């Protein structure tokens, strides 16, 4: 029988096995999310009988529908995970993604595809739950940066594969007629194959989760801790239940409170190149490589009675919202512009149409965009910010951000050999600016927070505002594209970025307590 010291050592070891199992579950989701981005625009056209009227708007709705439904049901799934355990909610959420993907691939009417996306978001209970499991797995603070970095890294990797898969497996009867006849199953349902592959990957993730994923909810593992949570609405962390009962009795909370200040995570089911979640209570920011933050002072015992949302917090949150809007608009506008048919002859400025690429080409561009994001986040981001500084990095990249959008409307005027480099230039600029700006803004936001006790509130406001901006931007930029053409859509992104530059004049460099 192992000694108590051996058991204690094992309980505080880095949870490599369980993090790997959870990462496989996590990996399957962005494959399904990101695969649709490569073909959503042409799918909408097909579902409308070839009519491309307002296709960009309807494509944007398909992208956003999942996130809207997910946001509406997140609290309910969190409550269920507190009561019945994290594991069943995670596995059921994966099942919801699989059902959604299958219905989406079989859709022959637009409303069916939209309903499938909404159902997928409503059935997916993995908002916050997976990151909460990570927090409950990790016992030592020194293990937290590596453990937390694993989830967004896996998300980015899955997004890269999903983007390529969507581009190469959509419309198989058109691109691989020798394997998939036009009168066969995949000829009748041209977007079934990428979704079917997603379903298979998700089912494999569910199976390994059933047998190997361990429950982390302390209430499930230790019934005696059912009521150990203090009556304190302000001081919460990732081990705090995702939904608290009204009957909370005070007692010792040593095992559940032996962590640093961290709030519950929020995520959104939007197909982005890199995961956009953030947590102000972490000691570092970044994905593949973290920027260490200065150590914070110990948590004060007393409650905080001052003003939580000061002027600096509001201004930085507005800056984050503006960046989130045009960043997500880029992610949905890029494939639409690449897939749309040109409105002018080659070599002329086309302010209305697109570049006329195939879904194969779009899949390659989106996958490379994800790889660029991973490289910038892993290598360039920490070096750049450490050399330049947080404030200068934030201002420098906000000022230059419009350049990422003004390139695209004029690519049609370039010789054909320069169009592809121009697309890559725009993607590099967008990835670089976004990956630098957001973490720097979060550091400034954390510095402006008046007390560690209200970091959860500040994080909740900023994250909710950014999620709302990213959810609204796909259909809004789609409306602009349909009404004014591709140039109007790209220049609208640049316009929002310019508003962000003007807004810098109201962002204090450093918060001065009043």
């Amino acid at each position: 029988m192992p000694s108590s010291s051996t058991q204690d050592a094992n309980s505080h070891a880095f949870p490599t096995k369980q993090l790997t199992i959870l990462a496989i579950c996590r990996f399957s989701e962005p494959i399904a999310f990101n695969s649709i981005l490569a073909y959503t625009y042409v799918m909408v056209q097909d579902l409308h009988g070839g009519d491309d009227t307002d296709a960009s708007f309807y494509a944007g709705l398909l992208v956003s529908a999942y996130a809207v439904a997910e946001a509406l049901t997140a609290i309910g799934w969190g409550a269920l995970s507190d009561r019945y355990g994290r594991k069943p909610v995670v596995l059921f959420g994966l099942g919801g993604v699989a059902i959604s993907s299958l219905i989406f691939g079989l859709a022959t009417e637009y409303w069916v595809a939209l309903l499938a996306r909404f159902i997928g978001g409503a059935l997916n209970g993995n908002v916050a739950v997976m990151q909460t499991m990570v927090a409950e797995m990790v016992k030592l603070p020194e293990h937290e940066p590596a453990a937390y970095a694993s989830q967004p890294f896996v998300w980015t990797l899955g997004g890269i594969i999903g983007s390529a898969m969507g581009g190469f497996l959509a419309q198989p009867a058109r691109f691989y007629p020798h394997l998939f006849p036009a009168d066969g199953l995949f000829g009748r349902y041209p977007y079934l194959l990428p979704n079917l592959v997603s379903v298979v990957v998700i089912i494999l993730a569910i199976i390994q989760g059933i047998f190997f994923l361990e429950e982390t909810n302390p209430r499930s593992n230790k019934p005696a801790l059912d009521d150990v949570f203090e009556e304190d609405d302000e001081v919460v962390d990732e081990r705090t239940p995702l939904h608290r009962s009204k009957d909370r009795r005070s007692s010792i909370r040593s095992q559940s409170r032996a962590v640093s200040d961290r709030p519950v995570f929020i995520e959104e089911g939007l197909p982005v190149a890199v995961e956009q979640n953030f947590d102000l209570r972490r000691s570092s920011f970044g994905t593949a490589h973290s920027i260490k933050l200065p150590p914070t002072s110990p948590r004060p015992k007393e409650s905080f009675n001052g003003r939580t949302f000061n002027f600096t917090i509001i201004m930085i949150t507005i800056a984050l919202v503006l960046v989130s809007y045009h960043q997500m608009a880029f992610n949905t506008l890029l494939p639409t512009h690449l897939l749309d048919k040109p409105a002018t002859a080659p070599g002329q400025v086309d302010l209305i149409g697109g570049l006329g690429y195939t879904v194969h080409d779009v899949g390659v561009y989106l996958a490379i965009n994800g790889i660029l994001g991973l490289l910038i986040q892993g290598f360039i981001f920490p070096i750049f910010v450490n050399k330049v500084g947080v404030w200068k990095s934030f201002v420098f990249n906000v000022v230059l951000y419009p350049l990422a959008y003004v390139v695209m409307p004029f690519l049609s005027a370039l010789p054909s050999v320069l169009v592809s480099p121009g697309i890559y230039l725009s993607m590099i600029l967008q990835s670089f600016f976004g990956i630098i700006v957001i973490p720097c803004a979060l550091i400034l936001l954390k510095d402006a927070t008046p007390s560690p006790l209200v970091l959860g509130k500040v994080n909740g406001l900023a994250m909710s505002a950014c999620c709302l901006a990213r959810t609204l931007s796909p259909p809004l930029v789609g409306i602009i594209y349909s009404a004014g053409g591709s140039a109007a859509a790209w220049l609208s992104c640049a316009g929002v970025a310019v508003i962000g530059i003007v807004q810098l004049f109201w962002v204090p460099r450093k918060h001065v307590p009043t």
Side-chain angles (χ1 to χ4, degrees):
M1 183 176 179
S3 64
S4 59
S5 60
T6 303
Q7 289 178 333
D8 185 68
N10 290 336
S11 66
H12 287 81
F14 189 79
T16 303
K17 179 181 176 181
Q18 285 301 302
L19 283 175
T20 302
I21 295 168
L22 189 63
I24 294 172
C25 295
R26 180 66 163 163
F27 177 78
S28 63
E29 288 190 310
I31 288 181
F33 294 157
N34 287 48
S35 67
I36 75 164
L37 206 57
Y39 59 81
T40 303
Y41 180 75
V42 292
M43 181 181 184
V44 170
Q45 290 179 318
D46 288 347
L47 294 177
H48 288 164
D51 183 10
D52 61 356
T53 305
D54 296 330
S56 55
F57 166 69
Y58 291 114
L61 281 183
L62 287 181
V63 171
S64 296
Y66 193 103
V68 171
E70 196 175 40
L72 292 175
T73 59
I75 295 177
W77 287 115
L80 288 175
S81 77
D82 285 336
R83 185 174 181 85
Y84 298 106
R86 317 289 187 218
K87 179 177 176 177
V89 170
V90 166
L91 298 181
F92 188 87
L94 291 176
V97 177
I99 294 172
S100 169
S101 298
L102 187 60
I103 298 175
F104 190 78
L106 292 170
T108 56
E109 298 286 343
Y110 177 80
W111 70 267
V112 176
L114 186 64
L115 181 63
R117 292 284 294 166
F118 194 87
I119 289 174
L123 293 181
N124 185 10
N126 293 342
V127 179
V129 177
M130 282 191 180
Q131 286 287 11
T132 302
M133 292 185 74
V134 173
E136 292 167 342
M137 290 175 185
V138 176
K139 307 302 181 184
L140 298 178
E142 54 265 31
H143 291 162
E144 291 175 349
Y148 286 120
S150 66
Q151 294 294 299
F153 177 82
V154 168
W155 175 276
T156 303
L157 188 62
I160 293 171
I161 296 174
S163 298
M165 186 184 76
F168 281 94
L169 298 185
Q171 301 177 328
R174 173 186 173 187
F175 293 103
Y176 316 109
H178 55 292
L179 296 175
F180 304 97
D183 58 351
L185 176 65
F186 296 107
R188 295 194 302 272
Y189 303 102
Y191 307 102
L192 175 60
L193 185 57
N195 288 281
L196 205 56
V197 173
S198 298
V199 170
V200 172
V201 173
I202 293 169
I203 290 175
L204 293 176
I206 292 174
I207 292 173
Q208 64 93 35
I210 291 173
F211 290 104
F212 302 114
L213 186 63
E214 297 176 359
E215 179 58 63
T216 63
N217 188 346
R219 291 186 168 189
S220 297
N221 294 334
K222 301 175 182 178
L225 293 180
D226 235 10
D227 297 308
V228 301
F229 296 96
E230 295 182 18
E231 180 101 17
D232 187 353
D233 288 326
E234 301 294 340
V235 184
V236 295
D237 55 43
E238 283 168 331
R239 289 177 178 79
T240 303
L242 298 180
H243 177 79
R244 289 186 174 184
S245 63
K246 293 181 179 179
D247 182 23
R248 293 171 300 184
R249 290 184 290 272
S250 300
S251 75
I252 58 170
R253 192 182 170 194
S254 57
Q255 294 184 357
S256 294
R257 284 280 301 277
V259 290
S260 55
D261 302 324
R262 286 176 175 79
V264 172
F265 276 70
I266 302 175
E267 84 176 71
E268 68 287 351
L270 290 169
V272 290
V274 292
E275 194 181 47
Q276 295 297 318
N277 300 326
F278 53 78
D279 174 13
L280 294 180
R281 295 187 182 184
R282 285 191 188 177
S283 59
S284 61
F285 290 117
T287 295
H289 190 113
S290 295
I291 289 289
K292 287 288 184 182
L293 301 181
T296 57
S297 57
R299 188 203 319 253
K301 301 277 186 184
E302 66 276 3
S303 61
F304 177 75
N305 298 318
R307 181 184 176 189
T308 299
F309 301 111
N310 54 55
F311 181 77
T312 306
I313 287 176
I314 294 172
M315 289 298 104
I316 296 174
T317 301
I318 292 174
L320 277 168
V321 167
L322 293 173
V323 171
S324 297
Y325 174 89
H326 58 74
Q327 187 183 58
M328 190 63 217
F330 177 92
N331 288 323
T332 52
L333 186 55
L334 178 65
T336 298
H337 189 209
L338 296 179
L339 289 167
D340 196 14
K341 297 177 182 178
T344 63
Q348 298 180 6
V349 176
D350 187 354
L351 302 179
I352 304 298
L355 298 175
Y357 283 97
T358 66
V359 289
H360 276 194
D361 301 322
V362 174
V364 171
Y365 280 119
L366 294 182
I368 292 177
N369 190 37
I371 295 172
L372 289 172
L374 197 62
L375 293 176
I376 293 171
Q377 212 162 18
F379 301 102
I380 299 176
F381 164 68
I383 297 173
F384 184 90
V385 176
N386 282 328
K387 292 289 185 182
V388 178
V390 173
W391 173 255
K392 289 182 180 179
S393 297
F394 172 72
V395 172
F396 176 79
N397 288 280
V398 168
V399 170
L400 295 181
Y401 221 137
L403 296 177
Y405 308 120
V406 297
V407 173
M408 292 298 295
F410 307 103
L411 291 181
S412 58
L414 298 177
S416 58
V417 295
L418 296 179
V419 174
S420 187
I423 296 172
Y424 286 125
L425 173 63
S426 180
M427 291 193 306
I428 291 172
L429 292 175
Q430 210 287 141
S431 294
F432 180 83
F433 296 149
I435 288 172
I436 300 293
V437 165
I438 290 182
C440 290
L442 298 179
I443 294 173
L444 296 173
L445 193 63
K446 183 172 184 177
D447 289 342
T449 304
S451 169
L453 294 174
V454 296
L455 275 173
K457 285 185 176 181
V458 174
N459 190 84
L461 171 69
M463 191 68 201
S464 298
C466 291
C467 287
L468 179 62
R470 284 194 288 263
T471 302
L472 293 177
S473 65
L476 288 180
V477 78
I479 292 174
I480 297 172
Y481 192 104
S482 298
S486 56
W490 285 115
L491 293 178
S492 72
C493 294
V496 175
V498 170
I499 293 175
I501 297 175
V502 176
Q503 194 256 345
L504 280 177
F505 290 101
W506 287 271
V507 179
R509 178 167 183 172
K510 188 174 183 180
H511 175 65
V512 179
T514 56

